[in-house]
Amino acid sequence: MTEQAFAPQRIVVTGGAGFIGSNFVHWVVNNQPGVHVTVLDALTYAGNRQNLAGIPEDRLDFVHGNICDEQLVDQLVSQTDAVVHFAAESHNDNSIADPTPFLQTNVHGTYVLLQACKKYDVRFHHISTDEVYGDLALDDPARFTESTPYNPSSPYSSTKASSDLLVRAWVRTYGVRATISNCSNNYGPYQHVEKFIPRQITNLICGIRPKLYGDGLNVRDWIHTEDHSSAVWCILTKGKVGETYLIGADGERSNIDVLRAILDGMGAGPDDFDWVRDRPGHDRRYAIDSTKLRTELGWQPQHTDFAQGLAQAIAWYRDNEDWWRPAKEATEAKYAAQGQ
Ligand code: NAD
Ligand code: TDX
């Protein structure tokens, strides 16, 4: 442990109705009995109030609002011990089609939160991505570490990189008590059907052929979202202010391997998919070295059996059609218009 543990009683979770944010809220409610959560979420196409169903009323307040709303943010931050900032526009393909909301939410929204945390001296944890480091060649023995230079490729990752730099500057110039985590690709329940794994699973359920970009050899470093949640809590409570921690679970896999595991797990043949147009600027490979988080803060992932995690994800999408059906048709129409 690097400094005295921080024990927040009240936290504001931005983006808590999205995929990773809602999994984090469930994790906190289930694992940290004394902590009260206030979710601030704009309920964009990616947010869903249903993701927080079942949480007792005395543990959760839900505020429907925008992180760019200075007055609302000021009021919420004035009454909390910490802000855990997940809210973002999160999908690369959307950022290529229209970067505007990415600039607004990811950059300006983070600025608004930082200003409020500065005013009330509130602890801030910023959720970011490994994509800020750009990509690695398939045969590069290196993985990303906390000292890898920033080199983002897409409108999405460049706005995430911009927000990380704002956090670093607010720490150094104003003494804001902030930490940053950069995590690899998450999978698990409540992930929007626009993302790779849910898209392919729900395609197969709908009788649509899965779609693979480019040559399918791009590598992503998969982590179960529950492991992301435990890592964020570990950094919030035990991390050193001003530091960055990389979160990853040694889960490198090529897209074609993941797709073939889904096809196999759902009773389809190995070639029952379509090759489609590649993503412009498509990052080749991400890989995280999470040694710092493991050795300095003692964190360990629990869900290291990817086959088992994938089987659970497939079961979750089979059991929760009501949750994803409403978004499926529009998502596929958007992809079809892009040739994907
Ligand atoms: P998501 O798109 O599923 O959810 C984003 C949530 O933020 C939604 O509930 C949405 O309504 C909300 N939101 C968007 N704009 C907002 C605004 N202006 N004000 C308030 N709320 C707003 O995203 P996700 O996949 O859960 O990602 C969460 C965070 O984790 C993001 O910061 C993302 O960059 C980061 N991240 C994601 C991954 C991944 O694999 N998905 C990996 C590493 C880091
Ligand atoms: O239909 C598809 N076919 C396909 O081959 C889709 C949707 C994706 N892909 C490929 C593109 C990527 O190489 O699969 C890989 C994963 O794609 P996404 O799910 O869009 O994730 P990625 O672009 O890697 O970004 C994700 O991880 C890092 C999250 O969306 C980001 O928010 C996070 O920062």
Side-chain angles (χ1 to χ4, degrees):
M1 198 161 72
T2 45
E3 62 179 27
Q4 207 176 8
F6 169 63
Q9 298 300 298
R10 302 163 304 172
I11 62 173
V12 168
V13 177
T14 73
F19 161 47
I20 304 175
S22 64
N23 275 285
F24 177 75
V25 172
H26 283 284
W27 188 92
V28 170
V29 169
N30 292 333
N31 293 282
Q32 305 298 331
V35 177
H36 182 271
V37 179
T38 299
V39 165
L40 171 60
D41 198 296
L43 297 179
T44 68
Y45 80 96
N48 189 338
R49 187 68 180 79
Q50 277 305 109
N51 296 5
L52 299 168
I55 296 178
E57 274 181 25
D58 61 333
R59 302 293 308 278
L60 174 72
D61 283 331
F62 181 80
V63 179
H64 183 193
N66 199 305
I67 57 167
C68 298
D69 180 339
E70 288 175 26
Q71 263 191 328
L72 176 61
V73 165
D74 186 280
Q75 182 207 326
L76 295 175
V77 172
S78 73
Q79 298 163 14
T80 194
D81 303 322
V83 173
V84 186
H85 176 35
F86 290 90
E89 286 292 336
S90 68
H91 194 41
N92 275 296
D93 293 318
N94 293 345
S95 81
I96 295 165
D98 179 12
T100 310
F102 291 75
L103 271 293
Q104 287 162 347
T105 290
N106 300 2
V107 184
H108 189 72
T110 302
Y111 159 74
V112 170
L113 292 164
L114 283 168
Q115 287 289 81
C117 288
K118 171 189 157 205
K119 181 171 169 186
Y120 296 105
D121 188 25
V122 161
R123 176 83 168 79
F124 185 71
H125 181 70
H126 180 62
I127 307 296
S128 192
T129 168
D130 58 1
E131 299 192 18
V132 300
Y133 300 114
D135 63 353
L136 298 160
L138 294 181
D139 60 357
D140 190 335
R143 299 192 289 172
F144 299 136
T145 71
E146 287 77 6
S147 55
T148 302
Y150 274 41
N151 187 26
S153 317
S154 75
Y156 162 69
S157 54
S158 62
T159 58
K160 291 299 290 186
S162 305
S163 64
D164 293 10
L165 298 183
L166 292 180
V167 177
R168 290 182 181 196
W170 262 242
V171 169
R172 172 148 174 182
T173 302
Y174 302 116
V176 169
R177 292 182 294 126
T179 41
I180 299 173
S181 54
N182 298 81
C183 189
S184 61
N185 282 62
N186 283 225
Y187 74 100
Y190 304 114
Q191 187 168 29
H192 196 275
V193 290
E194 70 190 354
K195 302 295 198 308
F196 180 61
I197 289 178
R199 184 184 185 201
Q200 314 310 343
I201 294 172
T202 55
N203 271 10
L204 286 164
I205 295 172
C206 294
I208 305 169
R209 281 166 73 83
K211 311 289 183 220
L212 192 60
Y213 295 175
D215 63 7
L217 297 180
N218 305 65
V219 167
R220 296 295 181 264
D221 189 352
W222 294 98
I223 182 172
H224 194 281
T225 186
E226 206 166 290
D227 285 330
H228 190 179
S229 294
S230 67
V232 167
W233 186 260
C234 176
I235 296 164
L236 177 69
T237 55
K238 298 201 281 179
K240 188 170 170 212
V241 163
E243 294 287 311
T244 290
Y245 298 88
L246 265 53
I247 305 173
D250 301 331
E252 280 189 70
R253 275 175 180 77
S254 69
N255 292 340
I256 191 159
D257 283 352
V258 173
L259 177 55
R260 290 220 158 109
I262 294 169
L263 289 163
D264 186 48
M266 297 185 71
D271 297 314
D272 289 344
F273 67 89
D274 295 332
W275 299 98
V276 295
R277 186 176 78 89
D278 205 358
R279 173 184 286 170
H282 195 178
D283 281 336
R284 198 60 168 157
R285 169 176 162 246
Y286 305 136
I288 288 269
D289 178 346
S290 58
T291 303
K292 177 177 173 180
L293 176 61
R294 293 173 193 236
T295 55
E296 290 187 13
L297 305 186
W299 173 82
Q300 288 288 338
Q302 303 297 318
H303 299 267
T304 47
D305 183 340
F306 184 73
Q308 190 182 59
L310 196 58
Q312 283 166 356
I314 291 169
W316 191 87
Y317 285 92
R318 279 195 168 125
D319 292 345
N320 290 278
E321 269 198 54
D322 291 354
W323 180 87
W324 56 262
R325 275 279 174 196
K328 184 67 183 167
E329 204 177 319
T331 304
E332 285 309 308
K334 200 147 89 175
Y335 276 127
Q338 293 168 185
Q340 293 176 318

